Amino acid sequence: AQKITQTQPGMFVQEKEAVTLDCTYDTSDPSYGLFWYKQPSSGEMIFLIYQGSYDQQNATEGRYSLNFQKARKSANLVISASQLGDSAMYFCAMRDNNFNKFYFGSGTKLNVKP
Amino acid sequence: DAMVIQNPRYQVTQFGKPVTLSCSQTLNHNVMYWYQQKSSQAPKLLFHYYDKDFNNEADTPDNFQSRRPNTSFCFLDIRSPGLGDAAMYLCATSRDRTSGVFPTDTQYFGPGTRLTVL
């Protein structure tokens, strides 16, 4: 069964505006972690932000925040004040209690327009 | 800085000619992963090591093999590359889920090796 779903293959956003990238997940484990990664055209996978299943507050890292809605099993990434350098693929991933695996969504390609 | 290093960054091989990709880490993580990623797709896990324990994904072709001689190094061997094996190969590390930091610890990725098969 698909563990991570990203329903937006591509998104456009105007520079300096905020954008939300969607991610829903599926697990029966009470303990899990949710991660977002950025992958520019160079190919390197860059860790952005993390949310734990027991965290009471939404995670924030600079311009990145994670809108965590546990009951809905969603972990959307919000990028505020978009910059041209934010243009990249974004992957949502989950780590649960199943061995040491990380499960990736299919990704969202974000294009920031000047 | 502690990091994950992959060599080479770009590899060109001929159809059917064996190729080896290497990964090293200075993070002292006990889990190492190999992913295959094709253009605009999610990384696909090929296998991972927990220390010396090798965990193969069910759909990883036999053409792909791996070795982990010690904690720091891990190799991906493609025995007879086909045109469909052209992809980016990503190595990653993490601490294992019993290390006390589960589930908070992310994976740390190398820069990848882009493989071309002629």
Side-chain angles (χ1 to χ4, degrees):
Chain A
Q2 187 81 9
K3 291 229 177 190
I4 295 283
T5 303
Q6 293 181 254
T7 57
Q8 305 154 313
M11 292 273 290
F12 283 92
V13 65
Q14 201 70 38
E15 192 179 9
K16 298 181 185 176
E17 291 185 351
V19 63
T20 298
L21 307 184
D22 294 341
C23 174
T24 57
Y25 61 92
D26 182 30
T27 183
S28 56
D29 285 320
S31 181
Y32 52 89
L34 297 157
F35 304 84
W36 277 92
Y37 297 90
K38 173 185 178 181
Q39 190 177 40
S41 56
S42 60
E44 187 162 2
M45 198 76 81
I46 302 166
F47 166 68
L48 294 178
I49 195 167
Y50 156 82
Q51 180 83 42
S53 57
Y54 293 120
D55 293 343
Q56 296 295 316
Q57 299 204 344
N58 288 342
T60 60
E61 286 287 347
R63 294 186 299 111
Y64 304 108
S65 60
L66 206 153
N67 184 2
F68 180 47
Q69 298 187 44
K70 194 170 182 177
R72 297 180 61 184
K73 294 190 174 179
S74 74
N76 298 338
L77 176 69
V78 180
I79 306 174
S80 63
S82 297
Q83 302 172 356
L84 296 178
D86 294 335
S87 293
M89 281 288 283
Y90 288 82
F91 291 99
C92 179
M94 180 179 70
R95 186 179 193 182
D96 64 13
N97 217 23
N98 184 11
F99 304 104
N100 287 295
K101 290 186 184 182
F102 288 72
Y103 299 91
F104 283 83
S106 55
T108 296
K109 185 164 186 178
L110 178 66
N111 283 291
V112 180
K113 298 186 291 184
Chain B
D1 284 343
M3 57 175 61
V4 182
I5 301 163
Q6 289 187 246
N7 285 303
R9 294 292 306 276
Y10 300 90
Q11 176 73 57
V12 180
T13 190
Q14 291 182 332
F15 183 93
K17 185 175 181 181
V19 66
T20 294
L21 310 182
S22 73
C23 177
S24 63
Q25 55 134 337
T26 59
L27 297 161
N28 205 33
H29 287 169
N30 52 358
V31 188
M32 293 187 78
Y33 308 80
W34 278 106
Y35 291 91
Q36 179 193 64
Q37 187 181 27
K38 298 189 176 180
S39 183
S40 300
Q41 295 183 18
K44 178 181 182 298
L45 182 64
L46 296 173
F47 22 64
H48 73 278
Y49 279 93
Y50 172 26
D51 291 326
K52 288 263 187 180
D53 290 339
F54 177 69
N55 298 273
N56 198 29
E57 292 300 297
D59 57 353
T60 298
D62 293 340
N63 199 24
F64 292 88
Q65 303 286 318
S66 185
R67 297 168 281 136
R68 189 180 185 186
N70 54 52
T71 300
S72 300
F73 286 87
C74 196
F75 300 96
L76 171 62
D77 301 308
I78 309 176
R79 293 194 295 189
S80 181
L83 298 179
D85 297 328
M88 174 75 91
Y89 290 88
L90 295 167
C91 174
T93 73
S94 77
R95 287 179 284 190
D96 74 272
R97 62 186 183 89
T98 65
S99 65
V101 296
F102 177 85
T104 65
D105 206 25
T106 182
Q107 286 182 309
Y108 296 82
F109 285 87
T113 294
R114 196 172 293 277
L115 178 68
T116 301
V117 182
L118 301 178

